[in-house]
């Protein structure tokens, strides 16, 4: 046993040394491994800066706007985020897979086709969604505060900008530039917005309408920067002389499943908080939501790895490199577990200390944080099975699994909350998540003969 433990420690130390050697450019052979480590590390760093920028902006806005004006701003921005997810229609995820696939097999005709088709679809859906919502706001204007109506109209200018930011991010990821793909939306956009708020708040009185207008301006500048990156990174052979080949029916079908995955994922994150608030009140909902946000930090490492992993899976699958694909997925799952395990230990060993950061009233959610952390650890152990299925053409399975997970989550919450309160909701959340990943892993084993987890 001691011999096996020593061997495990030695393997772990060698892996750590190799990781840093690749990260700092001391080793360059093994292109895929170098790509995965550098892009995953870059993604993790960007996510950290994004959290800092978003938190700093929220604190500044809350201070300079006040409760009422900040509420108007937050309401309008929340609508733009929801509508942009609907309007992009899963095309961003589709572009990740198809761009990586066509680049891997050097099919520039179809790559040109998917870029043009998705751009056209995004234009139609984003303008249409924003226009319909603006019309609804006008019709229902009598039920809104006057300033709320104007702010919502201005906020609708953000919807096409956000849709194209998501779309072009997907294209850059698919072309193999995972870190560059995230820079505009996770760093440039929030940084420009924060700077504009800082400047404006020093010169004029801040109002929600001005905050939303500045957000639109920052989004437009971030989109211009994204377009520059895309033009720089497009394959050189993708010129006007190439005749594009399109498969609109096939692409639209896949996009609809990706849209369903996105909507279901968004609902899965919110349904427990909504039901807790409805059955136990706003105080309980606040405690549960903070615990859920704390537990979600456990999977941050795996999410960072998934950014470059998705297009890598699609490219290897398109080339039929089954052995290399299996090795990549399993090693990525192990790296995700290696990064996430220390965070999970902190969340489960020191839940009261973690929640104390948010305030004394949240400390009573310590047991909830522990339970939810177990669920997040399950998702990390399951590995990148969801993105593995999406990138190999099984998005209908991930859509089905997410929908079934929502149904199970709702039913168990309704049953457990009256019996165990917040604990019941946490248990419902973990059970539904575990069943979802079990379903994905069973399907992956059925189709590919292995389970894409840290344990192979």
């Amino acid at each position: 046993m001691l011999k096996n433990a020593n061997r495990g420690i030695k393997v772990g130390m060698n892996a750590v040394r190799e990781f840093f050697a690749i990260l700092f450019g001391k080793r360059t052979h093994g292109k895929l491994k170098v790509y995965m480590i550098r892009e995953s590390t870059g993604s993790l760093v960007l996510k950290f800066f994004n959290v800092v920028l978003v938190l700093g902006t929220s604190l500044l806005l809350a201070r300079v706007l006040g409760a009422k004006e900040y509420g108007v701003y937050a309401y309008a921005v929340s609508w733009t985020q929801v509508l942009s997810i609907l309007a992009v229609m899963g095309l961003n995820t589709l572009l990740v897979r198809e761009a990586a696939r066509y680049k891997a097999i050097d099919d520039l005709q179809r790559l040109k086709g998917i870029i043009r088709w998705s751009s056209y679809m995004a234009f139609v859906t984003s303008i249409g969604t924003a226009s319909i919502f603006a019309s609804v706001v006008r019709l229902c204007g009598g039920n809104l505060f006057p300033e709320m109506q104007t702010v919502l109209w201005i906020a609708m200018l953000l919807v096409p900008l956000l849709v194209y930011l998501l779309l072009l991010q997907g294209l850059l990821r698919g072309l193999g530039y995972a870190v560059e793909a995230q820079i505009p939306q996770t760093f440039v956009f929030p940084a420009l917005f924060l700077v504009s708020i800082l400047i404006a708040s020093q010169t004029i009185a801040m109002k929600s309408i001005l905050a939303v207008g500045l957000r639109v301006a920052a989004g437009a500048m971030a989109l211009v920067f994204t377009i520059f990156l895309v033009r720089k990174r497009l394959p050189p052979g993708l010129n006007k002389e190439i005749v594009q080949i399109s498969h609109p029916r096939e692409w639209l079908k896949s996009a609809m499943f990706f849209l369903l995955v996105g909507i279901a994922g968004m609902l899965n994150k919110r349904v427990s908080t909504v039901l807790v608030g409805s059955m136990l009140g706003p105080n309980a909902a606040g405690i549960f939501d903070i615990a859920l946000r704390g537990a979600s930090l456990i999977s941050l490492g795996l999410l960072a790895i998934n950014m470059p992993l998705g297009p890598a899976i699609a490219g290897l699958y398109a080339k039929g490199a089954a052995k290399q694909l299996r090795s990549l997925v399993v090693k990525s799952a192990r790296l995700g577990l290696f990064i996430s395990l220390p965070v999970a230990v902190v969340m489960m060993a020191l839940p009261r200390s973690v929640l104390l950061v948010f305030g004394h009233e949240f400390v009573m959610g310590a047991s909830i944080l522990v339970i939810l952390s177990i669920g997040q650890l399950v998702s990390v152990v399951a590995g990148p099975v969801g993105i593995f299925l999406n990138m190999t053409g099984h998005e209908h399975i991930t859509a089905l699994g997410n929908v079934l997970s929502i149904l199970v989550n709702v039913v168990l919450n309704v049953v457990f909350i009256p019996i165990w309160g917040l604990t019941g909701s946490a248990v419902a959340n973990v059970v539904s998540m575990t069943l979802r990943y079990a379903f994905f892993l069973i399907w992956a084993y059925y189709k590919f003969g292995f389970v894409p987890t840290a344990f192979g």
Side-chain angles (χ1 to χ4, degrees), residues 48 183 188 290 310 368 416 456:
F48 171 77
I183 290 174
V188 174
I290 290 297
I368 310 304
F416 290 167

Side-chain angles (χ1 to χ4, degrees), residues 337-354:
L337 183 59
F338 175 77
I339 296 171
S340 302
L341 201 55
V343 184
V345 170
V346 171
M347 293 296 172
M348 289 189 281
L350 304 168
R352 295 176 65 85
S353 300
V354 172

Side-chain angles (χ1 to χ4, degrees), residues 19-20 23-24 37-53 178-179 182-183 186-187 300-301 303-305 307-308 339:
F19 173 85
F20 284 106
L23 187 61
F24 294 111
I37 288 179
R38 290 184 180 170
E39 297 292 310
S40 297
T41 305
S43 298
L44 192 60
V45 171
L46 276 176
K47 286 183 183 297
F48 171 77
F49 278 114
N50 180 252
V51 169
V52 172
L53 287 169
V179 173
Q182 298 170 79
I183 290 174
T186 60
F187 184 75
L300 199 62
L303 292 176
I305 292 169
M307 295 301 289
I339 296 171

Side-chain angles (χ1 to χ4, degrees), residues 253-277:
K253 181 182 176 182
S254 291
M256 289 298 98
F257 281 119
F258 285 132
L259 174 61
L260 185 56
V261 170
I263 294 173
M266 183 171 59
L267 290 175
N268 250 327
K269 291 177 182 177
R270 296 297 175 192
V271 68
S272 293
T273 304
V274 170
L275 290 172
V276 166

Side-chain angles (χ1 to χ4, degrees), residues 344-365:
V345 170
V346 171
M347 293 296 172
M348 289 189 281
L350 304 168
R352 295 176 65 85
S353 300
V354 172
L355 294 174
L356 193 60
V357 174
F358 298 94
H360 290 280
E361 62 269 34
F362 295 104
V363 173
M364 64 182 296

Side-chain angles (χ1 to χ4, degrees), residues 78-379:
S78 296
W79 269 114
T80 64
Q81 291 169 341
V82 171
L83 292 174
S84 63
I85 291 173
L86 295 175
V88 80
M89 280 196 345
L91 293 170
N92 53 328
T93 309
L94 178 70
L95 259 181
V96 174
R97 187 181 73 190
E98 299 303 300
R101 174 184 164 197
Y102 296 142
K103 183 183 178 183
I105 59 176
D106 201 28
D107 190 344
L108 296 183
Q109 290 179 301
R110 286 179 174 80
L111 179 57
K112 185 175 182 179
I114 186 76
I115 292 173
R116 289 200 170 181
W117 177 82
S118 59
S119 298
Y120 169 76
M121 290 294 295
F123 178 81
V124 172
T125 56
S126 61
I127 298 297
T129 301
S131 300
I132 291 170
F133 187 84
S135 301
V136 171
V137 169
R138 183 176 179 82
L139 291 173
C140 302
N143 299 321
L144 297 170
F145 296 111
E147 63 269 25
M148 179 80 80
Q149 188 175 14
T150 307
V151 170
L152 283 171
W153 281 340
I154 295 173
M156 287 307 101
L157 296 172
L158 257 178
V159 173
L161 298 175
L162 291 175
V163 166
Y164 272 96
L165 279 170
L166 289 169
L167 190 73
L168 296 180
Q169 182 188 78
L171 175 58
L172 282 169
R173 280 183 63 199
L175 293 174
Y177 304 101
V179 173
E180 287 185 32
Q182 298 170 79
I183 290 174
Q185 196 163 14
T186 60
F187 184 75
V188 174
F189 186 7
L192 287 173
F193 183 50
L194 178 58
V195 170
S196 65
I197 293 294
L198 281 169
I199 295 172
S201 62
Q202 298 299 316
T203 54
I204 55 177
M206 284 295 296
K207 296 287 184 181
S208 56
I209 189 169
L210 177 58
V212 171
L214 291 173
R215 191 171 182 88
V216 172
M221 287 186 281
L223 180 58
V224 171
F225 178 71
T226 311
I227 292 170
F228 167 77
L229 285 179
V230 170
R231 288 183 177 276
K232 181 182 175 184
R233 293 305 188 184
L234 283 174
L238 202 69
N239 53 45
K240 295 181 180 179
E241 286 72 30
I242 293 178
V243 178
Q244 69 181 52
I245 298 176
S246 298
H247 303 282
R249 185 176 296 180
E250 174 189 328
W251 291 337
L252 185 60
K253 181 182 176 182
S254 291
M256 289 298 98
F257 281 119
F258 285 132
L259 174 61
L260 185 56
V261 170
I263 294 173
M266 183 171 59
L267 290 175
N268 250 327
K269 291 177 182 177
R270 296 297 175 192
V271 68
S272 293
T273 304
V274 170
L275 290 172
V276 166
S278 301
M279 301 174 74
L280 300 178
N283 185 57
I287 293 170
F288 186 88
D289 189 62
I290 290 297
L292 188 62
R293 289 174 185 271
S296 65
L297 293 174
I298 294 171
S299 58
L300 199 62
L302 185 61
L303 292 176
I305 292 169
N306 282 346
M307 295 301 289
L309 180 62
I313 290 172
L316 291 174
Y317 185 69
K319 291 190 290 188
K323 186 176 180 180
Q324 195 176 3
L325 175 61
R326 176 173 178 168
S327 174
L328 171 67
V329 174
V330 172
K331 287 179 179 178
S332 298
R334 288 172 181 166
L335 180 60
L337 183 59
F338 175 77
I339 296 171
S340 302
L341 201 55
V343 184
V345 170
V346 171
M347 293 296 172
M348 289 189 281
L350 304 168
R352 295 176 65 85
S353 300
V354 172
L355 294 174
L356 193 60
V357 174
F358 298 94
H360 290 280
E361 62 269 34
F362 295 104
V363 173
M364 64 182 296
S367 61
I368 310 304
L369 177 57
V370 172
I371 296 170
L372 293 173
S373 295
I374 293 171
Q376 287 296 318
L377 193 56
V378 167
S379 73

